[in-house]
Amino acid sequence: MREFIEDAGQADSLPVLLASFERAVRRLDFEHYSFSCWEAKGGSGASPAGEHRILAQNYPSPWVDRYRDRDYFSKDPVIRHARGTVKPFQWSDLTVQGSREEAVLQEALAAGLREGMAVPIHEPWGRIYLTTLATRRAASSARIDAEQLRTQAHMLAVIFHARYAALGGLQSRDRLVGLTPRESECLTWVAQGKSSWDIGQLMAVSEHTVNFHLKNAMRKFDTASRVTAAVRAASLGLIHLP
């Protein structure tokens, strides 16, 4: 992870960033990735509106063409689940609803995409970005345990999103974020997996005070996730991950 943080921070173009991201994806035992976005109606993730845009990917070309031509975006259980959660999830965690969703997964399997990890990032005003990582191997064959894999995939996706935004012009507000010393310290501990109670003990302050600083930091990054705030802060050099 540290290698990707350094590579992403030094990337001066999208092709360089994408090459470093693909290397990081492979280190997590995935062969393929996709980075896409769409708007949600009424500023909510409940239902999609507008075009589903694939911003970057290295999926097999026949599968990408088929996905677009057959409008699998509207039938994909990964998309449906991503609309309702901010947490990373594996494809094997999904509860398939109906024959259309089952058909999408079966055709993905036929295309060599057996298992995957999805990391949704919900932006203000309803835009959703989704990073998916896919492999031909079964979930049980991964060298990293499931919880550790989710954490690493989450951090990887958030860093990639922040750098893609900076290099590709998706957004610029993160560059203007300034953190107080307390906010930086709290986010640093969050990046190390500490709870609010743990952080309060380490900083000799109340859990309420920790949550106050974390909420302020999350507001500055326009995110409802403290982990996302911590990783964005790290990708911008505002804190340093262990």
Side-chain angles (χ1 to χ4, degrees), residues 57 59-69 72 76 91 103-113:
Q57 53 83 22
Y59 275 25
S61 295
W63 167 248
V64 176
D65 293 340
R66 192 177 187 86
Y67 192 95
R68 285 172 167 155
D69 293 345
Y72 281 166
D76 191 341
W91 294 356
V104 173
L105 292 183
Q106 288 301 318
E107 291 198 31
L109 177 60
L113 308 173

Side-chain angles (χ1 to χ4, degrees), residues 121-124 129 158-159 161-162 171 173-174 218 220-223 227-239:
I121 296 177
H122 291 246
E123 292 280 285
Y129 288 92
V158 174
I159 293 169
H161 173 265
Q171 61 185 21
R173 62 181 175 273
D174 280 355
M218 289 156 59
K220 290 177 179 180
F221 285 109
D222 283 327
T223 177
V227 173
T228 299
V231 178
R232 283 187 180 169
S235 71
L236 294 168
L238 300 174
I239 67 170

Side-chain angles (χ1 to χ4, degrees), residues 194-213:
K194 303 296 184 183
S195 68
S196 292
W197 186 89
D198 293 331
I199 297 169
Q201 296 298 302
L202 290 163
M203 294 175 59
V205 298
S206 70
E207 186 174 354
H208 174 78
T209 298
V210 172
N211 288 332
F212 171 78
H213 292 305

